[in-house]
Amino acid sequence: MKIHRSARGKVLPCVSVPCKAMWLHLAVLVGLFYLLRWYRERQVVSHLRDKFVFITGCDSGFGNLLARQLDLRGLRVLAGCLTEQGAEQLRSQTSDRLQTVILDVTKTESVAAATEWVKERVGDRGLWGLVNNAGICTPMAPNQWLTKQDFVKILEVNLLGVIDVTLNVLPLVRKARGRVVNVSSVMGRLALFGGGYCMSKYGVEAFSDSLRRELCYFGVKVAMIEPGYFLTNMTQDEVFNGNVQASWDHASPEIQELYGDNFLADFMKATDFLKAPWAGNLSLVTDCMEHALTACHPRSRYSAGWDAKLLYLPMSYLPSFLVDLMMYWCSPLPAKAL
């Protein structure tokens, strides 16, 4: 060990060498961890062409792209669509392997009928993958603008629909020792807006966590997809702004006076902050879904988009008062704020 002498001649130990060695060992361990994870995550499940995957919400967006993506991969895709028009369009873009069924996840009879339809097709092989993708994001507005029914509308699709579909087809997934993939959101980690969307995604997170721990005893793996902001039919400006305007129009005169007309315009502009250069690349999300279905060792959570990785998830670990302060300075102020 190197030594140094102080001004008074005392011998002082130098700890620079041990410190450097410690950091070197730590860097090696971190490198080995990521190398091992990379190797494990590259291992793919065998006999993919014999496996059935049931996806909800395939009319457009993530579900539509995933159905086409898995069809190209050779899997047997069972696509749940809300409308016959969406089903016909998807069939025209895919192979004869892909089959569609009309499914409204908010109606128990529709879910039960779709479950029987899936059961007839998978037979004794069971269902390898269930992807709960169907969802909506509006109405999304300050809570005081909304009614109970506005919350119920989102919760019925995004949370109760996920639960209903999962519980119905779970025996088929257990038989195949397969996968459940639930589409959550970074808003299931960090509630940036009022309305039922964030609440529903928090619920999906809780349901998925409890389900993952229950099903591990039966060889079933559960994964969550937590995308950042992506442009789909639901998040287009005209759709989002139209729903915000409708919520404002139905708010009471007292609420409109409290917030003021300028708040409405500023609130709509604030969503531009969420948009990122990669927002139109939906494959960043569907690639995560595909990996969760086809990898031997899928992750429990997938963060899609750099905004999710570098902004929203780190924010979710910050103390609440810091996040509140950030939101206070970034959000528009009501006309009669204190």
Side-chain angles (χ1 to χ4, degrees):
M1 177 183 293
K2 293 182 180 179
I3 59 174
H4 293 293
R5 293 185 180 276
S6 67
R8 297 183 179 181
K10 293 182 179 180
V11 177
L12 301 175
C14 178
V15 295
S16 61
V17 174
C19 281
K20 288 180 180 178
M22 181 186 71
W23 285 111
L24 178 61
H25 291 159
L26 182 61
V28 170
L29 287 174
V30 172
L32 287 174
F33 168 78
Y34 280 102
L35 183 62
L36 176 62
R37 191 175 78 163
W38 173 83
Y39 171 73
R40 280 170 53 87
E41 291 188 347
R42 284 178 60 87
Q43 298 178 47
V44 179
V45 173
S46 60
H47 307 295
L48 287 177
R49 290 181 174 271
D50 297 328
K51 299 187 183 301
F52 287 87
V53 176
F54 180 41
I55 310 168
T56 67
C58 293
D59 296 77
S60 62
F62 300 134
N64 185 276
L65 179 57
L66 178 65
R68 291 184 280 121
Q69 192 168 316
L70 295 182
D71 181 61
L72 287 173
R73 189 77 184 266
L75 281 84
R76 298 177 179 273
V77 178
L78 305 175
C81 298
L82 182 61
T83 66
E84 185 58 44
Q85 180 182 359
E88 290 180 3
Q89 184 181 27
L90 180 58
R91 287 195 300 267
S92 69
Q93 298 173 332
T94 53
S95 72
D96 294 337
R97 286 190 306 273
L98 183 141
Q99 301 177 63
T100 60
V101 63
I102 302 301
L103 171 63
D104 183 344
V105 299
T106 67
K107 297 179 180 178
T108 299
E109 60 274 16
S110 178
V111 173
T115 301
E116 287 301 314
W117 179 86
V118 171
K119 188 175 182 179
E120 291 173 2
R121 278 145 185 82
V122 303
D124 294 333
R125 282 174 290 189
L127 180 65
W128 172 253
L130 165 65
V131 182
N132 282 305
N133 166 76
I136 59 175
C137 68
T138 55
M140 186 186 293
N143 292 313
Q144 296 184 95
W145 299 10
L146 304 173
T147 65
K148 176 185 174 181
Q149 191 55 40
D150 291 326
F151 289 87
V152 170
K153 177 182 177 182
I154 293 183
L155 291 171
E156 281 187 338
V157 178
N158 292 6
L159 179 56
L160 298 179
V162 169
I163 294 171
D164 197 11
V165 172
T166 302
L167 295 182
N168 272 271
V169 304
L170 202 51
L172 302 176
V173 179
R174 265 201 324 267
K175 182 178 290 187
R177 298 172 66 87
R179 309 285 169 81
V180 177
V181 180
N182 292 331
V183 180
S184 178
S185 168
V186 290
M187 299 302 172
R189 298 281 202 102
L190 188 69
L192 296 182
F193 297 99
Y197 182 77
C198 296
M199 294 170 56
S200 69
K201 295 306 183 181
Y202 268 76
V204 169
E205 295 272 332
F207 177 63
S208 301
D209 277 337
S210 61
L211 197 67
R212 183 181 66 252
R213 292 159 190 151
E214 291 175 18
L215 296 182
C216 68
Y217 301 105
F218 306 99
V220 176
K221 297 180 180 180
V222 179
M224 276 176 280
I225 313 297
E226 301 173 332
Y229 182 87
F230 285 88
L231 286 172
T232 65
N233 287 352
M234 295 189 304
T235 57
Q236 295 290 345
D237 285 344
E238 56 271 20
V239 176
F240 181 85
N241 291 342
N243 277 277
V244 172
Q245 182 69 56
S247 298
W248 171 258
D249 293 340
H250 286 91
S252 67
E254 178 188 4
I255 292 298
Q256 292 182 355
E257 183 181 355
L258 280 174
Y259 281 87
D261 292 333
N262 290 337
F263 182 94
L264 176 63
D266 292 341
F267 183 83
M268 291 180 179
K269 290 179 183 177
T271 59
D272 292 336
F273 171 75
L274 302 176
K275 297 175 184 177
W278 56 83
N281 185 7
L282 303 188
S283 63
L284 293 175
V285 178
T286 56
D287 286 348
C288 294
M289 296 174 174
E290 181 180 340
H291 186 272
L293 291 165
T294 61
C296 291
H297 305 285
R299 301 180 186 180
S300 297
R301 283 179 165 85
Y302 292 83
S303 301
W306 287 108
D307 55 342
K309 293 179 174 67
L310 301 180
L311 178 61
Y312 300 120
L313 290 184
M315 282 179 66
S316 71
Y317 290 106
L318 292 176
S320 296
F321 81 92
L322 283 180
V323 179
D324 292 348
L325 189 62
M326 294 167 66
M327 293 304 301
Y328 178 83
W329 288 109
C330 294
S331 302
L333 293 178
K336 293 192 175 182
L338 295 178

